[in-house]
Amino acid sequence: MLGGSAGELVQEITKRLPAHLQDLVREKLLAEVEKSEIINALKVGKVMKYEGGRFRYLSGQADLALPMEEAEKLMRQAIRQAEHRRELIVSEDGKRVFDLHGVPFDHKSGGLLAFDITEVIEKERKMYRREMQAYREAIAAVTGGRLNLANGEEIERVVSEGTELVKGEVRQTHDIPEARRIIQKFLPSIDRRRWHAIALCLSEALTNALKHAGGGCWQARQAGDTVRVIVRDRGPGIKKSELARATLMQHYSTKNSLGCGFTLMLYYADYLHLNTGPSGTTLAMDFCVVPAIS
């Protein structure tokens, strides 16, 4: 069965559904198949029938080592709710990822379509890394090397360098001026113009964290003559398609972008490190500090 087209596979697995549900379930299942690139993974799939708490192999890759406990939970949900259910399951050893589709036949049985999409995900990750490297090189060139799009490992190194001076959180608008007051108290005695640049950039970064993530945390660290101001949030991050415009285009702003304030930060800070993604955004701003003249 898996040797045929995706349409034939869906047709076969849904033919026992009540007539008034067949078209709806087929449409949803085909959409999921296309969305998750299952077509490319059909050769590493498995079709099973679930009835009476047991699975019966129908076709596909017989030796596909599925997480059967999770598969059974999925089938029970699909049958109980009388609708297609889908879950991505990681194997216990963390090495394989399975895309499971549960399709109810009636009140006590259903069909399971299972696909090993580990290679598909790895391919997507490689493509993403290549695209991000292209963005890194382009943005570094445009900014004269002053803006670094850091990966996860790099940003963790950046936020741990130097000595921590002070840290805090921002949850409401009035927390921003309070953050400026606190950070100034703990900073070394520096030139007034340099402090103005730090205060402006901190305000812009915290405003972005409030606007796009409902708040975040901040800290100031020092290494030699450099003060690094770090702002982190757990928002949706900047979409890859908007990354260049969000960081480089003045006055460009969308719901998920850093907005026009980012160009100000790029202007006043000596160096910026940016890491952004679905789990949040981390921005580290470096300032070379000049002792204030007494």
Side-chain angles (χ1 to χ4, degrees):
M1 186 185 303
L2 285 174
S5 68
E8 292 171 346
L9 178 62
V10 172
Q11 185 80 13
E12 176 68 23
I13 203 69
T14 58
K15 66 182 181 181
R16 296 190 184 184
L17 290 173
H20 69 284
L21 292 178
Q22 288 182 3
D23 289 342
L24 179 61
V25 173
R26 286 169 184 167
E27 180 181 347
K28 289 185 176 181
L29 190 55
L30 277 172
E32 293 292 344
V33 167
E34 294 173 358
K35 182 180 178 181
S36 60
E37 295 189 46
I38 294 301
I39 293 175
N40 295 330
L42 288 177
K43 61 184 180 180
V44 286
K46 190 172 187 176
V47 178
M48 305 180 75
K49 182 178 179 181
Y50 178 78
E51 186 173 18
R54 294 183 177 183
F55 285 98
R56 180 166 62 87
Y57 170 74
L58 297 179
S59 64
Q61 186 178 341
D63 61 347
L64 192 63
L66 297 176
M68 298 310 298
E69 183 177 344
E70 297 297 331
E72 186 172 1
K73 289 180 182 178
L74 177 68
M75 289 308 309
R76 288 201 300 264
Q77 291 176 355
I79 293 172
R80 183 173 62 251
Q81 299 173 14
E83 64 178 14
H84 162 255
R85 299 287 297 176
R86 177 196 181 196
E87 284 190 20
L88 296 180
I89 304 296
V90 179
S91 62
E92 290 187 3
D93 60 9
K95 295 181 179 180
R96 313 301 298 179
V97 181
F98 300 97
D99 192 350
L100 305 183
H101 295 258
V103 181
F105 292 160
D106 49 42
H107 68 281
K108 62 178 181 180
S109 66
L112 175 71
L113 290 84
F115 305 98
D116 185 338
I117 60 171
T118 309
E119 280 71 27
V120 174
I121 291 178
E122 183 56 32
K123 185 176 181 180
E124 290 178 346
R125 286 175 177 170
K126 289 181 179 179
M127 291 176 61
Y128 178 80
R129 287 194 291 266
R130 286 197 298 267
E131 290 177 3
M132 288 305 298
Q133 183 60 31
Y135 276 114
R136 284 167 59 111
E137 294 173 357
I139 289 178
V142 171
T143 62
R146 293 177 51 241
L147 173 55
N148 171 40
L149 288 182
N151 60 35
E153 183 178 336
E154 289 173 336
I155 203 66
E156 292 307 315
R157 174 183 56 78
V158 166
V159 300
S160 63
E161 289 178 338
T163 302
E164 182 182 287
L165 301 175
V166 64
K167 63 181 179 180
E169 294 187 8
V170 56
R171 299 300 174 194
Q172 302 178 54
T173 303
H174 63 71
D175 291 334
I176 297 178
E178 179 65 10
R180 290 197 303 265
R181 185 190 67 79
I182 295 173
I183 201 171
Q184 184 178 24
K185 180 180 178 181
F186 285 87
L187 283 179
S189 178
I190 59 176
D191 177 80
R192 182 177 179 180
R193 293 180 63 183
R194 187 86 296 203
W195 161 243
H196 173 74
I198 293 175
L200 177 62
C201 292
L202 174 66
S203 297
E204 292 292 346
L206 292 179
T207 298
N208 284 326
L210 273 175
K211 179 180 178 182
H212 303 296
C217 58
W218 59 267
Q219 65 171 304
R221 306 182 70 88
Q222 184 172 11
D225 293 332
T226 298
V227 167
R228 177 170 292 162
V229 177
I230 302 161
V231 175
R232 311 188 82 165
D233 67 52
R234 296 303 176 202
I238 308 173
K239 294 180 179 179
K240 184 173 58 177
S241 60
E242 298 172 352
L243 193 54
R245 286 175 292 178
T247 55
L248 301 176
M249 186 179 296
Q250 189 173 10
H251 304 306
Y252 179 80
S253 181
T254 69
K255 182 177 180 181
N256 293 324
S257 80
L258 288 174
C260 58
F262 193 82
T263 54
L264 292 176
M265 291 184 277
L266 187 59
Y267 178 80
Y268 282 103
D270 295 309
Y271 197 83
L272 299 179
H273 307 264
L274 174 66
N275 175 266
T276 186
S279 60
T281 296
T282 298
L283 177 65
M285 303 170 284
D286 289 352
F287 303 86
C288 180
V289 293
V290 179
I293 301 176
S294 304

